[in-house]
mmCIF file of all heavy atoms in Angstrom:
data_model
loop_
_atom_site.group_PDB
_atom_site.id
_atom_site.type_symbol
_atom_site.label_atom_id
_atom_site.label_comp_id
_atom_site.label_asym_id
_atom_site.label_seq_id
_atom_site.Cartn_x
_atom_site.Cartn_y
_atom_site.Cartn_z
ATOM 1 N N GLY Q 9 7.791 8.483 33.732
ATOM 2 C CA GLY Q 9 9.230 8.440 33.587
ATOM 3 C C GLY Q 9 9.826 7.079 33.865
ATOM 4 O O GLY Q 9 11.006 6.848 33.569
ATOM 5 N N GLY Q 10 9.027 6.178 34.411
ATOM 6 C CA GLY Q 10 9.497 4.846 34.719
ATOM 7 C C GLY Q 10 9.492 3.933 33.510
ATOM 8 O O GLY Q 10 9.185 4.345 32.394
ATOM 9 N N SER Q 11 9.811 2.665 33.752
ATOM 10 C CA SER Q 11 9.923 1.694 32.669
ATOM 11 C C SER Q 11 9.232 0.387 33.015
ATOM 12 O O SER Q 11 9.084 0.030 34.189
ATOM 13 C CB SER Q 11 11.399 1.404 32.359
ATOM 14 O OG SER Q 11 12.093 2.568 31.950
ATOM 15 N N LEU Q 12 8.808 -0.322 31.986
ATOM 16 C CA LEU Q 12 8.247 -1.658 32.112
ATOM 17 C C LEU Q 12 8.708 -2.485 30.926
ATOM 18 O O LEU Q 12 8.988 -1.945 29.848
ATOM 19 C CB LEU Q 12 6.721 -1.636 32.146
ATOM 20 C CG LEU Q 12 6.029 -1.191 33.439
ATOM 21 C CD1 LEU Q 12 4.527 -1.104 33.212
ATOM 22 C CD2 LEU Q 12 6.339 -2.149 34.578
ATOM 23 N N ARG Q 13 8.768 -3.785 31.126
ATOM 24 C CA ARG Q 13 9.127 -4.708 30.058
ATOM 25 C C ARG Q 13 8.041 -5.770 29.979
ATOM 26 O O ARG Q 13 7.814 -6.501 30.944
ATOM 27 C CB ARG Q 13 10.484 -5.346 30.333
ATOM 28 C CG ARG Q 13 10.980 -6.298 29.235
ATOM 29 C CD ARG Q 13 12.388 -6.788 29.554
ATOM 30 N NE ARG Q 13 12.890 -7.794 28.632
ATOM 31 C CZ ARG Q 13 13.459 -7.529 27.461
ATOM 32 N NH1 ARG Q 13 13.600 -6.269 27.058
ATOM 33 N NH2 ARG Q 13 13.894 -8.520 26.688
ATOM 34 N N LEU Q 14 7.373 -5.854 28.844
ATOM 35 C CA LEU Q 14 6.274 -6.778 28.660
ATOM 36 C C LEU Q 14 6.700 -7.951 27.782
ATOM 37 O O LEU Q 14 7.018 -7.764 26.614
ATOM 38 C CB LEU Q 14 5.076 -6.084 28.019
ATOM 39 C CG LEU Q 14 4.585 -4.778 28.650
ATOM 40 C CD1 LEU Q 14 3.355 -4.279 27.904
ATOM 41 C CD2 LEU Q 14 4.290 -4.973 30.126
ATOM 42 N N PRO Q 15 6.688 -9.156 28.326
ATOM 43 C CA PRO Q 15 6.980 -10.330 27.508
ATOM 44 C C PRO Q 15 5.705 -10.939 26.948
ATOM 45 O O PRO Q 15 4.640 -10.867 27.566
ATOM 46 C CB PRO Q 15 7.652 -11.290 28.498
ATOM 47 C CG PRO Q 15 6.956 -10.991 29.787
ATOM 48 C CD PRO Q 15 6.646 -9.505 29.760
ATOM 49 N N CYS Q 16 5.815 -11.535 25.790
ATOM 50 C CA CYS Q 16 4.682 -12.211 25.169
ATOM 51 C C CYS Q 16 5.155 -13.504 24.527
ATOM 52 O O CYS Q 16 5.545 -13.517 23.350
ATOM 53 C CB CYS Q 16 4.012 -11.307 24.129
ATOM 54 S SG CYS Q 16 2.609 -12.081 23.285
ATOM 55 N N PRO Q 17 5.136 -14.586 25.280
ATOM 56 C CA PRO Q 17 5.494 -15.878 24.695
ATOM 57 C C PRO Q 17 4.326 -16.459 23.912
ATOM 58 O O PRO Q 17 3.180 -16.371 24.337
ATOM 59 C CB PRO Q 17 5.834 -16.726 25.923
ATOM 60 C CG PRO Q 17 4.952 -16.164 26.991
ATOM 61 C CD PRO Q 17 4.898 -14.674 26.724
ATOM 62 N N ALA Q 18 4.634 -17.034 22.781
ATOM 63 C CA ALA Q 18 3.633 -17.673 21.944
ATOM 64 C C ALA Q 18 4.002 -19.136 21.771
ATOM 65 O O ALA Q 18 5.115 -19.457 21.364
ATOM 66 C CB ALA Q 18 3.534 -16.991 20.588
ATOM 67 N N SER Q 19 3.068 -20.007 22.066
ATOM 68 C CA SER Q 19 3.305 -21.435 21.950
ATOM 69 C C SER Q 19 2.313 -22.056 20.978
ATOM 70 O O SER Q 19 1.281 -21.468 20.659
ATOM 71 C CB SER Q 19 3.191 -22.118 23.317
ATOM 72 O OG SER Q 19 1.886 -21.960 23.853
ATOM 73 N N GLY Q 20 2.636 -23.247 20.518
ATOM 74 C CA GLY Q 20 1.745 -23.963 19.636
ATOM 75 C C GLY Q 20 1.976 -23.726 18.157
ATOM 76 O O GLY Q 20 1.179 -24.175 17.334
ATOM 77 N N PHE Q 21 3.059 -23.040 17.814
ATOM 78 C CA PHE Q 21 3.362 -22.792 16.406
ATOM 79 C C PHE Q 21 4.240 -23.878 15.803
ATOM 80 O O PHE Q 21 4.698 -23.733 14.670
ATOM 81 C CB PHE Q 21 4.053 -21.441 16.241
ATOM 82 C CG PHE Q 21 3.141 -20.261 16.330
ATOM 83 C CD1 PHE Q 21 3.008 -19.561 17.522
ATOM 84 C CD2 PHE Q 21 2.414 -19.851 15.229
ATOM 85 C CE1 PHE Q 21 2.160 -18.475 17.612
ATOM 86 C CE2 PHE Q 21 1.565 -18.760 15.301
ATOM 87 C CZ PHE Q 21 1.433 -18.070 16.500
ATOM 88 N N GLY Q 22 4.456 -24.949 16.514
ATOM 89 C CA GLY Q 22 5.331 -26.015 16.029
ATOM 90 C C GLY Q 22 4.870 -26.652 14.739
ATOM 91 O O GLY Q 22 5.688 -27.107 13.939
ATOM 92 N N THR Q 23 3.561 -26.694 14.516
ATOM 93 C CA THR Q 23 3.019 -27.308 13.311
ATOM 94 C C THR Q 23 2.682 -26.293 12.230
ATOM 95 O O THR Q 23 2.129 -26.647 11.192
ATOM 96 C CB THR Q 23 1.753 -28.130 13.645
ATOM 97 O OG1 THR Q 23 0.772 -27.279 14.236
ATOM 98 C CG2 THR Q 23 2.105 -29.259 14.603
ATOM 99 N N ILE Q 24 3.004 -25.044 12.470
ATOM 100 C CA ILE Q 24 2.765 -23.974 11.503
ATOM 101 C C ILE Q 24 4.091 -23.600 10.855
ATOM 102 O O ILE Q 24 5.027 -23.182 11.540
ATOM 103 C CB ILE Q 24 2.137 -22.742 12.163
ATOM 104 C CG1 ILE Q 24 0.803 -23.113 12.818
ATOM 105 C CG2 ILE Q 24 1.928 -21.635 11.140
ATOM 106 C CD1 ILE Q 24 0.137 -21.974 13.545
ATOM 107 N N PHE Q 25 4.144 -23.762 9.560
ATOM 108 C CA PHE Q 25 5.385 -23.522 8.835
ATOM 109 C C PHE Q 25 5.476 -22.135 8.203
ATOM 110 O O PHE Q 25 6.356 -21.892 7.367
ATOM 111 C CB PHE Q 25 5.557 -24.606 7.763
ATOM 112 C CG PHE Q 25 5.708 -25.984 8.327
ATOM 113 C CD1 PHE Q 25 4.620 -26.832 8.414
ATOM 114 C CD2 PHE Q 25 6.934 -26.430 8.782
ATOM 115 C CE1 PHE Q 25 4.744 -28.108 8.947
ATOM 116 C CE2 PHE Q 25 7.080 -27.704 9.315
ATOM 117 C CZ PHE Q 25 5.981 -28.542 9.402
ATOM 118 N N HIS Q 26 4.596 -21.259 8.599
ATOM 119 C CA HIS Q 26 4.636 -19.890 8.118
ATOM 120 C C HIS Q 26 5.169 -18.984 9.222
ATOM 121 O O HIS Q 26 4.888 -19.190 10.395
ATOM 122 C CB HIS Q 26 3.246 -19.411 7.701
ATOM 123 C CG HIS Q 26 2.630 -20.230 6.618
ATOM 124 N ND1 HIS Q 26 3.049 -20.144 5.305
ATOM 125 C CD2 HIS Q 26 1.630 -21.149 6.650
ATOM 126 C CE1 HIS Q 26 2.325 -20.992 4.575
ATOM 127 N NE2 HIS Q 26 1.462 -21.599 5.365
ATOM 128 N N SER Q 27 5.917 -17.974 8.837
ATOM 129 C CA SER Q 27 6.422 -17.015 9.805
ATOM 130 C C SER Q 27 5.268 -16.222 10.392
ATOM 131 O O SER Q 27 4.214 -16.082 9.784
ATOM 132 C CB SER Q 27 7.438 -16.073 9.153
ATOM 133 O OG SER Q 27 8.551 -16.791 8.665
ATOM 134 N N ASN Q 28 5.479 -15.692 11.584
ATOM 135 C CA ASN Q 28 4.427 -14.951 12.248
ATOM 136 C C ASN Q 28 4.856 -13.524 12.574
ATOM 137 O O ASN Q 28 6.027 -13.257 12.808
ATOM 138 C CB ASN Q 28 3.981 -15.674 13.525
ATOM 139 C CG ASN Q 28 5.102 -15.800 14.542
ATOM 140 O OD1 ASN Q 28 6.045 -16.560 14.357
ATOM 141 N ND2 ASN Q 28 4.986 -15.047 15.642
ATOM 142 N N VAL Q 29 3.875 -12.654 12.582
ATOM 143 C CA VAL Q 29 4.055 -11.257 12.943
ATOM 144 C C VAL Q 29 3.518 -11.069 14.355
ATOM 145 O O VAL Q 29 2.475 -11.628 14.711
ATOM 146 C CB VAL Q 29 3.317 -10.335 11.956
ATOM 147 C CG1 VAL Q 29 3.308 -8.897 12.468
ATOM 148 C CG2 VAL Q 29 3.955 -10.415 10.581
ATOM 149 N N MET Q 30 4.210 -10.293 15.155
ATOM 150 C CA MET Q 30 3.787 -10.029 16.519
ATOM 151 C C MET Q 30 3.634 -8.525 16.710
ATOM 152 O O MET Q 30 4.454 -7.743 16.224
ATOM 153 C CB MET Q 30 4.796 -10.571 17.528
ATOM 154 C CG MET Q 30 5.086 -12.065 17.391
ATOM 155 S SD MET Q 30 3.664 -13.101 17.847
ATOM 156 C CE MET Q 30 3.626 -12.829 19.619
ATOM 157 N N GLY Q 31 2.591 -8.148 17.424
ATOM 158 C CA GLY Q 31 2.348 -6.738 17.657
ATOM 159 C C GLY Q 31 1.770 -6.472 19.028
ATOM 160 O O GLY Q 31 1.265 -7.378 19.694
ATOM 161 N N TRP Q 32 1.855 -5.221 19.444
ATOM 162 C CA TRP Q 32 1.308 -4.781 20.720
ATOM 163 C C TRP Q 32 0.234 -3.739 20.468
ATOM 164 O O TRP Q 32 0.450 -2.779 19.719
ATOM 165 C CB TRP Q 32 2.398 -4.205 21.621
ATOM 166 C CG TRP Q 32 3.305 -5.251 22.192
ATOM 167 C CD1 TRP Q 32 4.498 -5.667 21.705
ATOM 168 C CD2 TRP Q 32 3.057 -6.022 23.373
ATOM 169 N NE1 TRP Q 32 5.028 -6.648 22.509
ATOM 170 C CE2 TRP Q 32 4.165 -6.886 23.540
ATOM 171 C CE3 TRP Q 32 2.019 -6.064 24.306
ATOM 172 C CZ2 TRP Q 32 4.265 -7.780 24.600
ATOM 173 C CZ3 TRP Q 32 2.111 -6.960 25.365
ATOM 174 C CH2 TRP Q 32 3.214 -7.800 25.502
ATOM 175 N N PHE Q 33 -0.917 -3.919 21.120
ATOM 176 C CA PHE Q 33 -2.083 -3.074 20.889
ATOM 177 C C PHE Q 33 -2.692 -2.659 22.224
ATOM 178 O O PHE Q 33 -3.368 -3.458 22.873
ATOM 179 C CB PHE Q 33 -3.123 -3.816 20.056
ATOM 180 C CG PHE Q 33 -2.581 -4.396 18.782
ATOM 181 C CD1 PHE Q 33 -1.934 -5.621 18.778
ATOM 182 C CD2 PHE Q 33 -2.720 -3.715 17.584
ATOM 183 C CE1 PHE Q 33 -1.433 -6.163 17.608
ATOM 184 C CE2 PHE Q 33 -2.223 -4.248 16.404
ATOM 185 C CZ PHE Q 33 -1.577 -5.468 16.413
ATOM 186 N N PRO Q 34 -2.476 -1.429 22.638
ATOM 187 C CA PRO Q 34 -3.065 -0.977 23.906
ATOM 188 C C PRO Q 34 -4.524 -0.566 23.738
ATOM 189 O O PRO Q 34 -4.930 -0.053 22.690
ATOM 190 C CB PRO Q 34 -2.196 0.219 24.286
ATOM 191 C CG PRO Q 34 -1.790 0.792 22.963
ATOM 192 C CD PRO Q 34 -1.588 -0.408 22.054
ATOM 193 N N GLN Q 35 -5.286 -0.800 24.783
ATOM 194 C CA GLN Q 35 -6.679 -0.400 24.833
ATOM 195 C C GLN Q 35 -6.837 0.556 26.003
ATOM 196 O O GLN Q 35 -6.677 0.156 27.154
ATOM 197 C CB GLN Q 35 -7.601 -1.602 25.006
ATOM 198 C CG GLN Q 35 -9.076 -1.241 25.075
ATOM 199 C CD GLN Q 35 -9.963 -2.448 25.312
ATOM 200 O OE1 GLN Q 35 -9.566 -3.390 25.999
ATOM 201 N NE2 GLN Q 35 -11.149 -2.437 24.738
ATOM 202 N N SER Q 36 -7.139 1.802 25.703
ATOM 203 C CA SER Q 36 -7.328 2.791 26.750
ATOM 204 C C SER Q 36 -8.601 2.483 27.522
ATOM 205 O O SER Q 36 -9.512 1.843 26.993
ATOM 206 C CB SER Q 36 -7.398 4.198 26.158
ATOM 207 O OG SER Q 36 -6.189 4.529 25.507
ATOM 208 N N PRO Q 37 -8.689 2.918 28.774
ATOM 209 C CA PRO Q 37 -9.889 2.670 29.575
ATOM 210 C C PRO Q 37 -11.157 3.143 28.871
ATOM 211 O O PRO Q 37 -11.201 4.248 28.324
ATOM 212 C CB PRO Q 37 -9.632 3.473 30.853
ATOM 213 C CG PRO Q 37 -8.146 3.504 30.963
ATOM 214 C CD PRO Q 37 -7.662 3.630 29.545
ATOM 215 N N GLY Q 38 -12.178 2.282 28.856
ATOM 216 C CA GLY Q 38 -13.450 2.624 28.246
ATOM 217 C C GLY Q 38 -13.567 2.315 26.767
ATOM 218 O O GLY Q 38 -14.626 2.522 26.184
ATOM 219 N N LYS Q 39 -12.523 1.825 26.159
ATOM 220 C CA LYS Q 39 -12.547 1.503 24.743
ATOM 221 C C LYS Q 39 -12.664 0.003 24.506
ATOM 222 O O LYS Q 39 -12.169 -0.798 25.291
ATOM 223 C CB LYS Q 39 -11.302 2.039 24.048
ATOM 224 C CG LYS Q 39 -11.204 3.555 24.021
ATOM 225 C CD LYS Q 39 -9.995 4.018 23.227
ATOM 226 C CE LYS Q 39 -9.924 5.526 23.155
ATOM 227 N NZ LYS Q 39 -8.746 5.982 22.371
ATOM 228 N N GLU Q 40 -13.302 -0.374 23.403
ATOM 229 C CA GLU Q 40 -13.447 -1.769 23.026
ATOM 230 C C GLU Q 40 -12.185 -2.260 22.332
ATOM 231 O O GLU Q 40 -11.450 -1.490 21.722
ATOM 232 C CB GLU Q 40 -14.650 -1.962 22.107
ATOM 233 C CG GLU Q 40 -15.982 -1.567 22.708
ATOM 234 C CD GLU Q 40 -16.377 -2.440 23.871
ATOM 235 O OE1 GLU Q 40 -15.964 -3.621 23.892
ATOM 236 O OE2 GLU Q 40 -17.101 -1.958 24.753
ATOM 237 N N ARG Q 41 -11.952 -3.561 22.412
ATOM 238 C CA ARG Q 41 -10.774 -4.131 21.785
ATOM 239 C C ARG Q 41 -10.774 -3.925 20.274
ATOM 240 O O ARG Q 41 -9.705 -3.844 19.651
ATOM 241 C CB ARG Q 41 -10.651 -5.620 22.111
ATOM 242 C CG ARG Q 41 -9.263 -6.186 21.838
ATOM 243 C CD ARG Q 41 -9.087 -7.559 22.429
ATOM 244 N NE ARG Q 41 -9.647 -8.601 21.578
ATOM 245 C CZ ARG Q 41 -9.543 -9.899 21.826
ATOM 246 N NH1 ARG Q 41 -8.913 -10.308 22.928
ATOM 247 N NH2 ARG Q 41 -10.074 -10.788 21.001
ATOM 248 N N GLY Q 42 -11.939 -3.828 19.698
ATOM 249 C CA GLY Q 42 -12.039 -3.595 18.268
ATOM 250 C C GLY Q 42 -11.503 -2.245 17.837
ATOM 251 O O GLY Q 42 -11.269 -2.017 16.644
ATOM 252 N N ARG Q 43 -11.306 -1.342 18.800
ATOM 253 C CA ARG Q 43 -10.780 -0.017 18.506
ATOM 254 C C ARG Q 43 -9.334 0.122 18.952
ATOM 255 O O ARG Q 43 -8.833 1.221 19.145
ATOM 256 C CB ARG Q 43 -11.631 1.060 19.181
ATOM 257 C CG ARG Q 43 -13.080 1.104 18.706
ATOM 258 C CD ARG Q 43 -13.154 1.496 17.238
ATOM 259 N NE ARG Q 43 -12.558 2.805 17.008
ATOM 260 C CZ ARG Q 43 -13.187 3.959 17.145
ATOM 261 N NH1 ARG Q 43 -14.479 3.964 17.507
ATOM 262 N NH2 ARG Q 43 -12.569 5.098 16.920
ATOM 263 N N LEU Q 44 -8.652 -0.980 19.085
ATOM 264 C CA LEU Q 44 -7.257 -0.955 19.497
ATOM 265 C C LEU Q 44 -6.386 -0.246 18.473
ATOM 266 O O LEU Q 44 -6.651 -0.290 17.271
ATOM 267 C CB LEU Q 44 -6.730 -2.377 19.696
ATOM 268 C CG LEU Q 44 -7.387 -3.234 20.782
ATOM 269 C CD1 LEU Q 44 -6.789 -4.635 20.770
ATOM 270 C CD2 LEU Q 44 -7.225 -2.595 22.144
ATOM 271 N N GLU Q 45 -5.341 0.405 18.953
ATOM 272 C CA GLU Q 45 -4.365 1.050 18.098
ATOM 273 C C GLU Q 45 -3.021 0.361 18.284
ATOM 274 O O GLU Q 45 -2.612 0.074 19.396
ATOM 275 C CB GLU Q 45 -4.242 2.534 18.420
ATOM 276 C CG GLU Q 45 -5.494 3.338 18.133
ATOM 277 C CD GLU Q 45 -5.301 4.807 18.377
ATOM 278 O OE1 GLU Q 45 -4.217 5.196 18.859
ATOM 279 O OE2 GLU Q 45 -6.225 5.579 18.081
ATOM 280 N N ARG Q 46 -2.352 0.101 17.184
ATOM 281 C CA ARG Q 46 -1.065 -0.559 17.255
ATOM 282 C C ARG Q 46 0.017 0.427 17.650
ATOM 283 O O ARG Q 46 0.177 1.463 17.014
ATOM 284 C CB ARG Q 46 -0.722 -1.194 15.900
ATOM 285 C CG ARG Q 46 0.523 -2.079 15.932
ATOM 286 C CD ARG Q 46 0.891 -2.519 14.525
ATOM 287 N NE ARG Q 46 1.477 -1.438 13.765
ATOM 288 C CZ ARG Q 46 1.569 -1.400 12.442
ATOM 289 N NH1 ARG Q 46 1.054 -2.409 11.724
ATOM 290 N NH2 ARG Q 46 2.141 -0.380 11.834
ATOM 291 N N VAL Q 47 0.759 0.095 18.693
ATOM 292 C CA VAL Q 47 1.871 0.948 19.090
ATOM 293 C C VAL Q 47 3.189 0.418 18.555
ATOM 294 O O VAL Q 47 4.127 1.195 18.362
ATOM 295 C CB VAL Q 47 1.955 1.122 20.620
ATOM 296 C CG1 VAL Q 47 0.722 1.844 21.139
ATOM 297 C CG2 VAL Q 47 2.133 -0.227 21.319
ATOM 298 N N SER Q 48 3.257 -0.886 18.311
ATOM 299 C CA SER Q 48 4.495 -1.459 17.806
ATOM 300 C C SER Q 48 4.251 -2.854 17.258
ATOM 301 O O SER Q 48 3.343 -3.557 17.693
ATOM 302 C CB SER Q 48 5.559 -1.519 18.909
ATOM 303 O OG SER Q 48 6.805 -1.965 18.391
ATOM 304 N N CYS Q 49 5.055 -3.249 16.299
ATOM 305 C CA CYS Q 49 4.996 -4.601 15.767
ATOM 306 C C CYS Q 49 6.354 -4.975 15.206
ATOM 307 O O CYS Q 49 7.183 -4.104 14.920
ATOM 308 C CB CYS Q 49 3.913 -4.738 14.693
ATOM 309 S SG CYS Q 49 4.236 -3.837 13.169
ATOM 310 N N ILE Q 50 6.558 -6.259 15.054
ATOM 311 C CA ILE Q 50 7.777 -6.757 14.457
ATOM 312 C C ILE Q 50 7.380 -7.846 13.473
ATOM 313 O O ILE Q 50 6.661 -8.780 13.823
ATOM 314 C CB ILE Q 50 8.770 -7.275 15.529
ATOM 315 C CG1 ILE Q 50 10.069 -7.734 14.873
ATOM 316 C CG2 ILE Q 50 8.152 -8.379 16.377
ATOM 317 C CD1 ILE Q 50 11.201 -7.948 15.879
ATOM 318 N N ASP Q 51 7.809 -7.705 12.227
ATOM 319 C CA ASP Q 51 7.394 -8.650 11.206
ATOM 320 C C ASP Q 51 8.414 -9.767 11.035
ATOM 321 O O ASP Q 51 9.464 -9.794 11.673
ATOM 322 C CB ASP Q 51 7.104 -7.945 9.875
ATOM 323 C CG ASP Q 51 8.326 -7.271 9.266
ATOM 324 O OD1 ASP Q 51 9.464 -7.760 9.460
ATOM 325 O OD2 ASP Q 51 8.152 -6.247 8.575
ATOM 326 N N SER Q 52 8.074 -10.690 10.143
ATOM 327 C CA SER Q 52 8.922 -11.853 9.907
ATOM 328 C C SER Q 52 9.868 -11.660 8.738
ATOM 329 O O SER Q 52 10.571 -12.584 8.355
ATOM 330 C CB SER Q 52 8.054 -13.098 9.665
ATOM 331 O OG SER Q 52 7.188 -12.910 8.559
#
């Protein structure tokens, strides 16, 4: 029932002239990162 706010700053895109997509992918205990599921994303 509680809340959390997760920030994700991205640096080093100064020389990249393409827009970027950002997403959040949780990994449940015991699972590999390759099996991540996307819970949310925001496109460009």
Side-chain angles (χ1 to χ4, degrees):
S11 299
L12 284 174
R13 182 175 174 83
L14 309 182
C16 179
S19 62
F21 283 97
T23 59
I24 301 178
F25 296 97
H26 301 286
S27 299
N28 62 289
V29 170
M30 303 292 290
W32 287 95
F33 307 83
Q35 180 183 33
S36 298
K39 294 184 178 180
E40 299 295 331
R41 197 168 82 175
R43 298 295 301 275
L44 298 176
E45 295 184 355
R46 188 187 74 199
V47 296
S48 185
C49 68
I50 183 167
D51 63 31
S52 58

